[in-house]
Amino acid sequence: MPQVGSFFRYVNLTIPMKSLRKFSVFSLLTLLLLPSFAFAQTTGILRGKVIDVGTGEDMPSATVVLIDAKSPVSDPKKIGRIAKKDGTFEFLAVEAGDYTMRVTYIGYKIFTKKISIEAGKEYSETVKMNTDIQGLDEVVVVGEAETRFKSDAEVSVSTVNAVKVQENSSYQDLSQLLAGKAVGVHISPASGTVGGGIRFDVRSGAGLFGSGQPVIYVDGIRISNGEIGSDLTGGQSFSSIADIIPEDIESVNILKGPAASALYGTSGSNGVMVIKTRHSISEEGNGANFVYKATQGWNTQAEKYIASNGLNFSEANSIFRVGPFTEHSLSLNGANALFSYYASFDHRNEDGILMNNSLDRNSFRVNLSASPNEDVTINASTNFIVDNIALPQNDNNILGFLGETVLFGPTSAGGPGAYALADSTLVRGVTTTNATQRFLGSIEALYHPLSNLSFRAAIGYDGTSSRIDQTFPANLDYSGFGYVNGQRYTENQTIARMNIDLSGTYNWETSKDFTTSTTFGSQLFIFSNHDISITKQDFPTQFVTNIDAGAKFIGAKETFSNAREAGLYLIQDFSYESAYFLSLGVRNDYASSVGINTPSVFYPKASGAIRLDKLDLTPADFNLFKFRVAYGQSGVLPGSLDGSGLLWSAVPSGAGRGAVINFIGNPDIKPEHISEFEIGLDLEYKNAYGLNFTYFMQNANNSIVNFENAPSTGLTASATPRNVGSIKGSGFEGVLYGNIFRIKDYQLDANLMMSYATNTVTSLGGAAPIFVNQNAVVEGLPRAAFYTFAVRSALFDPTTKVYTGSNIDTSRSFLGNPIAPWNGSFSLTLKFLQNFTLTVLTDWQFGGTIYNNTRVYQAIFSNDAEYNLLNKQLGFVTDTAITPFKPGSAEYIAAGNKFATLDPNQPGATGYYESSDFIRLREIGLRYDFTSLISDLLPNRQIKSLSINAGCRNVLFIMKKYSGPDPEVNSFGSSSSITRGQDFLTLQNARVFYASLTLGF
């Protein structure tokens, strides 16, 4: 073959110059187009359209991906497109070969089809999508390093598609986003204070002690889940998860017990919440997507006080305000040849329904995903949050608005009157704020050296720096409360949490129908906390608040703690014919808080499922018919000092410095062992109606109980922990859902959730019952039970028939469970007139008890209408308008018996232990989508989507037995696992009205 230079010399010798010029132009064009022509001979064209199978409507923005069949399953080679406004898509240059076409759309089942592309040919596909009411085709987390399609999961996982939920509503925090949407998990704020604590009740509560809360991961970062602060504002403190931005969340998966969370080790004993934030929805070549959302709303008093809530009810109602809030969020996502990205900024400014309660939150997020080559994928998540939260004085605090108005009866009724101890100026003057700067970051590297071998390395970091300031201004007289010339308290807290995850997975395909994978991994978690506080009084003026300006030193404190956990785990998964699934695993855990003689503990797990619908053993109309069973173990760690033996501390004395015993531990202490067994059934009929049902049993042994030492031993500094306790729990949870009807422009979906969970303390190893406030841990009763010497009736003089006192039981008795065993919700989603969507959510709880400690003190201070009336009816208080009952009469006896149960001097007065049952209309939302209208009016629009929505939360109580305003509150916040179900001057949850505008361009 001649060289190029020789070829042109030959051409110049044989062709005339004029012809040569024509030929040279032709030759140049040929050479330029030759690669394109050759490429066209190796590629094909695919065009298509995505429609709703039920209504035939176009589905714009559906994601269409072609996955190369020859690429590794763990890191597939793919190209993607986003469907246009009419649902169409096109791939103009697809290399010849075999592909799997995968089409996804939020709220719809994944569509897959194998196709072959031949060079030079054009293909057309019509994709018909089915709705996915329960997210069966979503990938969910089923355990550490384990994910499944929800339809194949061997364990019960509660999932919330946050993107779909937030299309129709706006949420302030995680509790609002998840409330009533996750079966087996009851989620509620501890009070109505903005930025306050959030309480999770998961199944029957796992172990005997411990935090009782699930561990939370956000993008692989194990975050802090608790409250920041002390008792500065009563029982409520600043929630560490108040700064998780709902707008950034894509999905939430909740593993509800050791059957699913065993491989998370002792961290997962009470469940694991896995939060995934949003990522790019774009594919390369589709450009960037901007979304702006603006929300304006108002927090208002949900329930007005009336005379039965306190004779000073008008004063109580006067302290509430309308608390406005605004939120602006802007997000950008897209993809290019190097990486895909999601970036967001969110600002929320919110006032609570009481003065001195507000939140100012700013969040910056960037999520990146890059594939430097076919074998490596890197994912990074970063989030920086700046919070400023102010909390009011409430909960066992007479310097609060509730304490000064709700407690004290009017002088006309014999009470001291509102603001008896501190006038409104003093109450308003106290400010307590928390300024927080927080960084959440993770980086994950996936490496696929072989098609069936993959490695994962991830690091997560949660760093929080917070400053709490409480000021009693010097220009106001707080001397009656011990604060002379003002007081300033400052506390600086630095929390650092780091987790490191390493794992490797090998996938085996022994045959076409049988696959298995082996995963070996490790986790390391490191936690440190540094806290320093100082209190000073006597400031020269209210304008000088620097802490060093205080002339009188009151106290200072500095603490530092550090803890580590580490675990190794091994998982073996099997799948046969995509119908049989089996997973086996074991974890070996170690933690620094475990004693030196018990350095590690093993936790096994096993789970399996069978898809009868895949085996043609069910009628064809069942697209899902699955049985599943799972078993797993986890635990609760001893306290950080429990395994330390004797700890000594230095003290000064007249004879010099010395040492005294500070803490008495037990070097042989072990982690609590919690096992769980669950069995369940999942089925779905005609892609429209379904049922999920799970029954579970939990059993905890080696629970840690503190034993008091005899004084003669001299070891009285603290109680000694021992592994002697046990507790059993059981219950069930079910979901019934359906697409009631679905026609063009109209669709109605319904979802019913119901759960029951209970527990019983089976042993304390001979230790006495443990009492914390009104709650107790007692053998034979639920954990945290109300257990006291109950007042059942009155005592009457046998001769005169006059009331003489309360008839009090001689032994303690069970007065109720502060954690309601029955929980449920019912939701409807109605789409109508093509562009409208209406959502309604109702939830409830039954079987619980709340202790109305507020009413106890109202009775003491003459502010309880019923108690005051009984005093007059029994002749204890003279009122010319009321004639006392005659002693011995039926009316007198009934009044006496009722009076005895309301005697505030008796801790067991049963009239204050009330039912916390309720049925509540929780949410209503209405959305109108202008997108299709814009498409018609502006064919070449820059605006891709536009919608508005309005709604209300905590709409009203349809049924409530509790005499107080809100049966969901807990005056001790969310951090305590034992002290539950108590209302003492706790702020009711607000009613919320809002309207939002969402714009995509």
Side-chain angles (χ1 to χ4, degrees), residues 131-153:
T131 56
D132 189 7
I133 303 174
Q134 283 290 298
L136 296 178
D137 277 359
E138 295 176 6
V139 175
V140 298
V141 175
V142 296
E144 172 61 22
E146 290 184 289
T147 58
R148 302 275 192 281
F149 286 115
K150 190 175 181 180
S151 57
D152 296 335

mmCIF file of all heavy atoms in Angstrom, residues 131-153:
data_model
loop_
_atom_site.group_PDB
_atom_site.id
_atom_site.type_symbol
_atom_site.label_atom_id
_atom_site.label_comp_id
_atom_site.label_asym_id
_atom_site.label_seq_id
_atom_site.Cartn_x
_atom_site.Cartn_y
_atom_site.Cartn_z
ATOM 1 N N THR A 131 -47.290 2.766 38.387
ATOM 2 C CA THR A 131 -47.041 3.469 39.646
ATOM 3 C C THR A 131 -46.460 2.502 40.677
ATOM 4 O O THR A 131 -46.711 1.310 40.651
ATOM 5 C CB THR A 131 -48.340 4.083 40.214
ATOM 6 O OG1 THR A 131 -49.315 3.055 40.356
ATOM 7 C CG2 THR A 131 -48.861 5.172 39.299
ATOM 8 N N ASP A 132 -45.659 3.076 41.580
ATOM 9 C CA ASP A 132 -45.034 2.290 42.651
ATOM 10 C C ASP A 132 -45.416 2.945 43.970
ATOM 11 O O ASP A 132 -44.683 3.766 44.506
ATOM 12 C CB ASP A 132 -43.516 2.261 42.455
ATOM 13 C CG ASP A 132 -42.825 1.303 43.396
ATOM 14 O OD1 ASP A 132 -43.526 0.564 44.101
ATOM 15 O OD2 ASP A 132 -41.585 1.289 43.420
ATOM 16 N N ILE A 133 -46.580 2.578 44.484
ATOM 17 C CA ILE A 133 -47.140 3.255 45.650
ATOM 18 C C ILE A 133 -46.243 3.110 46.873
ATOM 19 O O ILE A 133 -46.051 4.051 47.636
ATOM 20 C CB ILE A 133 -48.548 2.699 45.956
ATOM 21 C CG1 ILE A 133 -49.447 2.852 44.728
ATOM 22 C CG2 ILE A 133 -49.165 3.415 47.144
ATOM 23 C CD1 ILE A 133 -50.804 2.197 44.899
ATOM 24 N N GLN A 134 -45.668 1.924 47.063
ATOM 25 C CA GLN A 134 -44.870 1.639 48.254
ATOM 26 C C GLN A 134 -43.367 1.641 47.997
ATOM 27 O O GLN A 134 -42.598 1.260 48.864
ATOM 28 C CB GLN A 134 -45.279 0.293 48.840
ATOM 29 C CG GLN A 134 -46.583 0.330 49.621
ATOM 30 C CD GLN A 134 -46.446 1.097 50.918
ATOM 31 O OE1 GLN A 134 -45.673 0.729 51.793
ATOM 32 N NE2 GLN A 134 -47.194 2.174 51.054
ATOM 33 N N GLY A 135 -42.953 2.054 46.818
ATOM 34 C CA GLY A 135 -41.518 2.108 46.538
ATOM 35 C C GLY A 135 -40.855 0.749 46.495
ATOM 36 O O GLY A 135 -39.716 0.585 46.940
ATOM 37 N N LEU A 136 -41.554 -0.263 45.933
ATOM 38 C CA LEU A 136 -41.003 -1.620 45.901
ATOM 39 C C LEU A 136 -39.758 -1.710 45.033
ATOM 40 O O LEU A 136 -38.920 -2.591 45.244
ATOM 41 C CB LEU A 136 -42.068 -2.601 45.397
ATOM 42 C CG LEU A 136 -43.313 -2.755 46.277
ATOM 43 C CD1 LEU A 136 -44.297 -3.718 45.633
ATOM 44 C CD2 LEU A 136 -42.938 -3.241 47.667
ATOM 45 N N ASP A 137 -39.634 -0.836 44.055
ATOM 46 C CA ASP A 137 -38.468 -0.876 43.177
ATOM 47 C C ASP A 137 -37.361 0.069 43.625
ATOM 48 O O ASP A 137 -36.382 0.254 42.907
ATOM 49 C CB ASP A 137 -38.881 -0.531 41.743
ATOM 50 C CG ASP A 137 -39.432 -1.743 40.994
ATOM 51 O OD1 ASP A 137 -39.456 -2.828 41.592
ATOM 52 O OD2 ASP A 137 -39.841 -1.595 39.831
ATOM 53 N N GLU A 138 -37.523 0.649 44.808
ATOM 54 C CA GLU A 138 -36.462 1.486 45.343
ATOM 55 C C GLU A 138 -35.419 0.624 46.038
ATOM 56 O O GLU A 138 -35.744 -0.406 46.633
ATOM 57 C CB GLU A 138 -37.031 2.500 46.335
ATOM 58 C CG GLU A 138 -37.968 3.519 45.708
ATOM 59 C CD GLU A 138 -38.579 4.441 46.743
ATOM 60 O OE1 GLU A 138 -38.189 4.353 47.922
ATOM 61 O OE2 GLU A 138 -39.449 5.244 46.375
ATOM 62 N N VAL A 139 -34.175 1.042 45.934
ATOM 63 C CA VAL A 139 -33.094 0.349 46.636
ATOM 64 C C VAL A 139 -33.090 0.834 48.079
ATOM 65 O O VAL A 139 -33.037 2.044 48.338
ATOM 66 C CB VAL A 139 -31.735 0.629 45.971
ATOM 67 C CG1 VAL A 139 -30.608 0.000 46.777
ATOM 68 C CG2 VAL A 139 -31.724 0.090 44.545
ATOM 69 N N VAL A 140 -33.186 -0.092 49.020
ATOM 70 C CA VAL A 140 -33.228 0.268 50.434
ATOM 71 C C VAL A 140 -32.062 -0.389 51.161
ATOM 72 O O VAL A 140 -31.522 -1.409 50.730
ATOM 73 C CB VAL A 140 -34.559 -0.159 51.089
ATOM 74 C CG1 VAL A 140 -35.726 0.559 50.442
ATOM 75 C CG2 VAL A 140 -34.758 -1.663 51.013
ATOM 76 N N VAL A 141 -31.688 0.220 52.279
ATOM 77 C CA VAL A 141 -30.645 -0.335 53.137
ATOM 78 C C VAL A 141 -31.278 -1.395 54.029
ATOM 79 O O VAL A 141 -32.277 -1.130 54.712
ATOM 80 C CB VAL A 141 -29.996 0.764 53.985
ATOM 81 C CG1 VAL A 141 -28.996 0.169 54.960
ATOM 82 C CG2 VAL A 141 -29.323 1.794 53.096
ATOM 83 N N VAL A 142 -30.729 -2.602 54.027
ATOM 84 C CA VAL A 142 -31.259 -3.682 54.863
ATOM 85 C C VAL A 142 -30.258 -4.107 55.934
ATOM 86 O O VAL A 142 -30.530 -5.031 56.700
ATOM 87 C CB VAL A 142 -31.663 -4.904 54.010
ATOM 88 C CG1 VAL A 142 -32.796 -4.537 53.074
ATOM 89 C CG2 VAL A 142 -30.477 -5.452 53.230
ATOM 90 N N GLY A 143 -29.123 -3.451 56.008
ATOM 91 C CA GLY A 143 -28.101 -3.785 56.996
ATOM 92 C C GLY A 143 -26.798 -3.120 56.620
ATOM 93 O O GLY A 143 -26.661 -2.505 55.553
ATOM 94 N N GLU A 144 -25.823 -3.205 57.481
ATOM 95 C CA GLU A 144 -24.513 -2.642 57.201
ATOM 96 C C GLU A 144 -23.945 -3.265 55.925
ATOM 97 O O GLU A 144 -23.847 -4.482 55.798
ATOM 98 C CB GLU A 144 -23.570 -2.896 58.380
ATOM 99 C CG GLU A 144 -22.123 -2.516 58.134
ATOM 100 C CD GLU A 144 -21.948 -1.044 57.827
ATOM 101 O OE1 GLU A 144 -22.820 -0.233 58.190
ATOM 102 O OE2 GLU A 144 -20.936 -0.702 57.218
ATOM 103 N N ALA A 145 -23.606 -2.425 54.948
ATOM 104 C CA ALA A 145 -23.035 -2.836 53.655
ATOM 105 C C ALA A 145 -23.996 -3.691 52.836
ATOM 106 O O ALA A 145 -23.559 -4.413 51.946
ATOM 107 C CB ALA A 145 -21.704 -3.569 53.854
ATOM 108 N N GLU A 146 -25.298 -3.635 53.137
ATOM 109 C CA GLU A 146 -26.273 -4.435 52.410
ATOM 110 C C GLU A 146 -27.414 -3.553 51.891
ATOM 111 O O GLU A 146 -28.002 -2.779 52.649
ATOM 112 C CB GLU A 146 -26.878 -5.517 53.303
ATOM 113 C CG GLU A 146 -25.933 -6.634 53.690
ATOM 114 C CD GLU A 146 -26.661 -7.698 54.485
ATOM 115 O OE1 GLU A 146 -27.014 -7.422 55.635
ATOM 116 O OE2 GLU A 146 -26.886 -8.795 53.949
ATOM 117 N N THR A 147 -27.710 -3.676 50.620
ATOM 118 C CA THR A 147 -28.862 -3.011 50.027
ATOM 119 C C THR A 147 -29.632 -4.026 49.185
ATOM 120 O O THR A 147 -29.071 -5.013 48.715
ATOM 121 C CB THR A 147 -28.442 -1.832 49.138
ATOM 122 O OG1 THR A 147 -27.558 -2.289 48.104
ATOM 123 C CG2 THR A 147 -27.751 -0.743 49.953
ATOM 124 N N ARG A 148 -30.921 -3.783 49.047
ATOM 125 C CA ARG A 148 -31.785 -4.629 48.232
ATOM 126 C C ARG A 148 -32.841 -3.747 47.589
ATOM 127 O O ARG A 148 -33.130 -2.649 48.067
ATOM 128 C CB ARG A 148 -32.531 -5.670 49.091
ATOM 129 C CG ARG A 148 -31.680 -6.599 49.895
ATOM 130 C CD ARG A 148 -31.221 -7.802 49.103
ATOM 131 N NE ARG A 148 -30.662 -8.768 50.020
ATOM 132 C CZ ARG A 148 -29.432 -8.690 50.536
ATOM 133 N NH1 ARG A 148 -28.651 -7.682 50.200
ATOM 134 N NH2 ARG A 148 -28.998 -9.618 51.377
ATOM 135 N N PHE A 149 -33.440 -4.265 46.517
ATOM 136 C CA PHE A 149 -34.702 -3.694 46.118
ATOM 137 C C PHE A 149 -35.697 -4.001 47.235
ATOM 138 O O PHE A 149 -35.687 -5.100 47.808
ATOM 139 C CB PHE A 149 -35.184 -4.287 44.797
ATOM 140 C CG PHE A 149 -34.416 -3.790 43.603
ATOM 141 C CD1 PHE A 149 -33.632 -4.653 42.853
ATOM 142 C CD2 PHE A 149 -34.469 -2.457 43.235
ATOM 143 C CE1 PHE A 149 -32.921 -4.206 41.758
ATOM 144 C CE2 PHE A 149 -33.763 -1.989 42.140
ATOM 145 C CZ PHE A 149 -32.979 -2.859 41.394
ATOM 146 N N LYS A 150 -36.556 -3.057 47.530
ATOM 147 C CA LYS A 150 -37.486 -3.263 48.635
ATOM 148 C C LYS A 150 -38.331 -4.514 48.423
ATOM 149 O O LYS A 150 -38.684 -5.203 49.379
ATOM 150 C CB LYS A 150 -38.376 -2.037 48.790
ATOM 151 C CG LYS A 150 -39.211 -2.056 50.059
ATOM 152 C CD LYS A 150 -39.986 -0.770 50.246
ATOM 153 C CE LYS A 150 -40.801 -0.820 51.539
ATOM 154 N NZ LYS A 150 -41.569 0.432 51.743
ATOM 155 N N SER A 151 -38.629 -4.824 47.184
ATOM 156 C CA SER A 151 -39.440 -6.002 46.889
ATOM 157 C C SER A 151 -38.715 -7.301 47.217
ATOM 158 O O SER A 151 -39.351 -8.348 47.366
ATOM 159 C CB SER A 151 -39.848 -6.004 45.411
ATOM 160 O OG SER A 151 -38.712 -5.963 44.581
ATOM 161 N N ASP A 152 -37.383 -7.257 47.366
ATOM 162 C CA ASP A 152 -36.605 -8.466 47.652
ATOM 163 C C ASP A 152 -36.058 -8.500 49.074
ATOM 164 O O ASP A 152 -35.417 -9.484 49.462
ATOM 165 C CB ASP A 152 -35.419 -8.571 46.681
ATOM 166 C CG ASP A 152 -35.864 -8.742 45.238
ATOM 167 O OD1 ASP A 152 -36.976 -9.231 45.022
ATOM 168 O OD2 ASP A 152 -35.092 -8.364 44.336
ATOM 169 N N ALA A 153 -36.300 -7.458 49.871
ATOM 170 C CA ALA A 153 -35.701 -7.357 51.204
ATOM 171 C C ALA A 153 -36.202 -8.472 52.122
ATOM 172 O O ALA A 153 -37.382 -8.802 52.121
ATOM 173 C CB ALA A 153 -35.992 -5.995 51.812
#
